[in-house]
């Protein structure tokens, strides 16, 4: 059988193609989650329709807090007179025994709805580093008034470098800097291997 030898240019082209394939992304897994990804707001404080009783911003300590008590389903914005007409910051605190060594983390936010006329613009701080995100228009007021199934769900992922996390206390702050309300379905943090929670 005749052996065919590749020319040097052909061999180089073949090697380039082989190494040009993208490397697979590092695997991540959920470190913590608030709420259940089910299209409902039922597991949060004031749900399903008592947003006008809103008094305090969400403040959640992973491993200690209860979403039914500490994390309101509706996160108001500065256009919402029923919440004081000002920006609102919801805060998540979590402790890490060890942070992930490297790679990309993801803050995963699932919303049941946003305000139809003036959806919020968010400033999200992760240990002091700020990221901005503008949200799309939602379906209407039925969702905030107790019928979340009539909302327009929206999910977004905020990737950030694992180096932002540190041993000990970590915090994530979500602030509505413009616009009106959004309704939570679930929020989670996914990290590469190596991250371990502590109280």
């Amino acid at each position: 059988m005749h052996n065919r030898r590749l020319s040097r240019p052909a061999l180089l082209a073949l090697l380039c193609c082989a190494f040009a394939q993208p490397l697979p992304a590092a695997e991540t897994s959920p470190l913590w989650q608030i709420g259940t990804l089910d299209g409902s707001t039922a597991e949060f404080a004031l749900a399903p329709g008592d947003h006008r009783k809103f008094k305090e911003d969400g403040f959640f300590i992973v491993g200690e807090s209860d979403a039914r008590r500490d994390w309101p389903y509706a996160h108001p914005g500065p256009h919402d007179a029923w919440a004081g007409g000002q920006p609102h910051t919801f805060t998540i605190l979590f402790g890490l025994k060890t942070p992930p060594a490297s790679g990309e983390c993801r803050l995963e936010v699932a919303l049941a709805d946003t305000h139809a006329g003036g959806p919020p613009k968010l400033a999200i701080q992760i240990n002091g580093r700020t990221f901005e995100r503008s949200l799309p228009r939602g379906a209407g007021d039925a969702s905030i008034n107790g019928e979340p199934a009539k909302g327009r769900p929206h999910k977004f992922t905020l990737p950030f470098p694992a180096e932002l996390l540190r041993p000990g206390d970590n915090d994530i702050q979500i602030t509505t800097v413009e616009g009106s309300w959004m309704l939570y379905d679930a929020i989670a943090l996914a990290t590469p291997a190596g991250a371990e929670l502590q109280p």
Side-chain angles (χ1 to χ4, degrees):
M1 185 173 178
H2 181 67
N3 290 326
R4 298 179 60 187
R5 298 184 64 182
L6 292 174
S7 66
R8 183 179 176 85
L11 183 59
L12 287 174
L14 185 62
L15 289 172
C16 286
C17 288
F19 287 102
Q21 299 303 315
L23 294 173
E27 291 295 323
T28 61
S29 57
L31 184 66
W32 51 254
Q33 181 168 313
I34 304 171
T36 305
L37 187 60
D38 57 2
S40 170
T41 60
E43 63 269 33
F44 297 111
L46 304 179
D50 285 337
H51 65 282
R52 293 189 180 278
K53 295 181 180 179
F54 181 92
K55 293 181 180 179
E56 294 181 341
D57 292 347
F59 189 89
F60 195 94
I61 301 174
V62 173
E64 297 183 19
S65 297
D66 183 349
R68 296 179 188 275
R69 180 189 66 233
D70 302 312
W71 196 265
Y73 78 107
H75 188 150
H79 291 179
D80 294 313
W82 51 266
Q86 62 189 25
H88 288 270
T89 299
F90 282 31
T91 302
I92 303 165
L93 300 180
F94 59 100
L96 285 178
K97 183 176 181 180
T98 54
S102 62
E104 184 180 88
C105 300
R106 300 194 314 269
L107 183 67
E108 300 172 343
V109 181
L111 303 173
D113 202 8
T114 55
H115 191 275
K121 179 180 179 181
L122 306 179
I124 302 173
Q125 279 197 356
I126 301 173
N127 285 339
R129 173 88 61 90
T130 301
F131 304 85
E132 293 187 346
R133 184 63 59 98
S134 295
L135 301 181
R137 296 175 183 269
D141 289 345
S143 59
I144 197 172
N145 288 318
E147 299 181 87
K150 293 186 177 180
R152 182 175 296 154
H154 175 67
K155 298 177 184 177
F156 70 88
T157 297
L158 179 64
F160 65 91
E163 297 85 68
L164 282 185
L165 301 182
R166 59 201 179 204
D169 294 342
N170 293 262
D171 66 88
I172 296 176
Q173 298 183 348
I174 304 172
T175 303
T176 47
V177 293
E178 295 179 14
S180 191
W181 52 262
M182 62 183 183
L183 307 183
Y184 286 102
D185 181 4
I187 180 168
L189 177 64
T191 65
E196 183 179 352
L197 286 171
Q198 71 175 11

